[in-house]
């Protein structure tokens, strides 16, 4: 790998405009509830993870697409303000930026509905326009863009020596063609079950799911377990790393914050220490509302780590 590209992270993924409303509880079918605190904020799993990585100290590139709507320019400007290389974010004509409709209940849990918009235009052909960005130390992928694009990105980056990391969200079945290119995977319990068919209700389930993912050729498996922490498994050897206890306000983007912070930490820390760093970042994010609005900065993460 070129020295000029050492210690760089490339994120290939989605950008959304999040419409967020708080409700006392989620509505049942046919039920209308009155909510509060309606906000329009930047989001999208790829964008959230790029922001989390940059704020945690990573030199971050972002390959993505936005639409030709009024908010698109301000989204790109926001990423640049966080220090992200935005040269590979393109505005696509005749389509809106991706949209997420997010409901947050009284316990801080959320439901999310997506319209892909310009994210669907991030095709392998579009990716090839920015293939230089795939010469990197680490590549971070999610599943809110076309699957073929993820496969193409993973293949190109892996061929150039990158560590390929996949956050397999939103949950869906994935082909071995993609999984065989992945070095580190970070599913939650639901996503792990979707990928392996193994329920992750306890440590035994987490261990079994991790073994199934190792069998696909993935060296490192990190299954996020919510408040319990994470199951970290390397080459079949697994253990729980407990998380941080905090008061939850909104879990939106907690997983994205974990992933971005993890890759930032992996640029200079051993794996278990990086996981702990990422857990601290995710814990801070759930104490605040919103997606990117909740993502902490490096100094804040270090303060929490030093206090525990």
């Amino acid at each position: 790998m070129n020295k000029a590209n050492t210690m760089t992270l490339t994120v290939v993924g989605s950008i959304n405009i999040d419409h967020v409303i708080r409700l006392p509880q989620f509505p049942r079918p046919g039920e209308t509830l009155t909510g509060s605190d309606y906000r329009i904020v930047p989001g999208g799993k790829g964008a959230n993870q790029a922001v989390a990585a940059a704020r945690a100290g990573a030199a971050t590139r972002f390959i993505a697409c936005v639409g030709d709507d009024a908010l698109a320019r301000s989204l790109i400007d926001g990423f640049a303000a966080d220090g992200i290389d935005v040269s590979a974010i393109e505005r696509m004509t005749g389509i809106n930026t991706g949209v997420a409709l997010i409901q947050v209940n009284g316990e801080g849990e959320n439901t999310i509905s997506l319209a892909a918009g310009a994210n669907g235009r991030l095709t392998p052909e579009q990716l090839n326009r920015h293939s230089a960005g795939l010469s990197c130390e680490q590549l971070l992928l999610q599943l809110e863009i076309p699957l073929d694009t993820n496969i193409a990105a993973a293949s190109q980056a892996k061929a150039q020596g990158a560590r390929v990391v996949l956050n397999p969200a939103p949950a869906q079945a994935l082909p071995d063609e993609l999984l065989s290119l992945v070095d580190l995977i970070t599913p939650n319990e639901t996503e792990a079950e979707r990928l392996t068919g193994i329920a992750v209700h306890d440590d035994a389930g987490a261990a079994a799911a991790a073994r199934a993912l190792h069998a696909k050729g993935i060296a490192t498996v990190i299954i996020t377990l919510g408040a319990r922490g994470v199951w970290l498994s390397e080459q079949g050897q697994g253990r729980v790393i407990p998380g941080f206890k905090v008061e939850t306000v909104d879990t939106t983007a907690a997983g994205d914050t974990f992933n971005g912070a993890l890759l930032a930490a992996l640029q200079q820390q051993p794996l278990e220490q990086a996981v702990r760093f990422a857990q601290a970042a995710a814990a801070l994010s759930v104490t605040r509302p919103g997606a990117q609005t909740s993502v902490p900065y490096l100094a804040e993460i270090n303060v929490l780590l030093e206090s525990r």
Side-chain angles (χ1 to χ4, degrees):
M1 192 185 309
N2 249 314
K3 184 180 267 186
N5 292 317
T6 300
M7 303 300 287
T8 56
L9 164 65
T10 295
V11 180
V12 178
S14 57
I15 297 174
N16 290 330
I17 298 169
D18 290 354
H19 295 258
V20 185
I21 188 169
R22 299 192 71 87
L23 297 165
Q25 68 269 342
F26 298 130
R28 295 170 294 181
E31 182 180 20
T32 299
L33 295 176
T34 299
S36 61
D37 192 25
Y38 170 70
R39 288 166 289 120
I40 301 175
V41 294
K45 297 196 74 61
N48 296 343
Q49 293 179 19
V51 167
R55 290 184 185 176
T60 305
R61 302 170 176 141
F62 190 17
I63 301 175
C65 294
V66 293
D68 58 8
D69 45 274
L71 291 176
R73 183 71 255 172
S74 66
L75 291 171
I76 297 173
D77 290 344
F79 302 138
D82 271 313
I84 297 169
D85 180 340
V86 298
S87 58
I89 301 177
E90 288 202 37
R91 295 188 69 170
M92 314 303 288
T93 59
I95 197 166
N96 286 329
T97 300
V99 170
L101 306 179
I102 303 175
Q103 299 175 318
V104 183
N105 71 8
E107 285 71 53
E109 300 169 320
N110 63 69
T111 64
I112 304 175
S113 302
L114 297 174
N119 296 318
R121 297 278 185 90
L122 185 50
T123 61
E125 293 73 26
Q126 175 68 15
L127 177 73
N128 286 338
R129 290 168 51 84
H130 304 285
S131 58
L134 297 173
S135 178
C136 55
E137 182 192 43
Q138 300 184 107
L139 174 72
L140 178 56
L141 303 169
Q142 326 76 32
L143 301 177
E144 289 181 346
I145 60 172
L147 190 59
D148 286 349
T149 307
N150 277 324
I151 294 170
S155 179
Q156 291 181 51
K158 184 121 179 161
Q160 298 181 75
R163 174 195 286 133
V164 176
V165 181
L166 174 65
N167 175 225
Q172 59 181 277
L174 293 175
D176 288 346
E177 182 182 7
L178 175 58
L179 295 176
S180 65
L181 295 167
V182 172
D183 299 296
L184 191 162
I185 195 166
T186 61
N188 63 20
E189 294 152 298
T190 301
E191 293 151 4
E193 181 173 358
R194 185 68 180 270
L195 289 173
T196 66
I198 298 167
V200 182
H201 298 315
D202 51 25
D203 290 356
R211 284 194 298 271
L213 292 167
H214 288 314
K216 301 288 187 181
I218 302 172
T220 305
V221 177
I222 299 174
I223 302 175
T224 56
L225 306 172
R228 279 214 309 132
V230 306
W231 181 265
L232 171 60
S233 183
E234 300 176 88
Q235 302 292 357
Q237 300 299 311
R239 67 241 185 236
V240 170
I241 301 178
F244 292 80
K245 293 187 183 300
V246 295
E247 184 175 341
T248 300
V249 172
D250 182 354
T251 59
T252 305
D256 296 333
T257 300
F258 177 89
N259 279 273
L262 176 70
L263 267 68
L266 282 173
Q267 291 186 338
Q268 52 192 312
Q269 298 177 11
L271 180 59
E272 188 161 339
Q273 189 176 342
V275 168
R276 190 69 174 158
F277 178 90
Q279 287 176 308
L284 286 169
S285 77
V286 303
T287 66
R288 306 164 179 175
Q292 288 160 43
T293 52
S294 74
V295 175
Y297 292 83
L298 177 60
E300 300 174 284
I301 302 167
N302 285 334
V303 167
L304 178 56
L305 285 168
E306 290 164 5
S307 70
R308 301 299 175 97

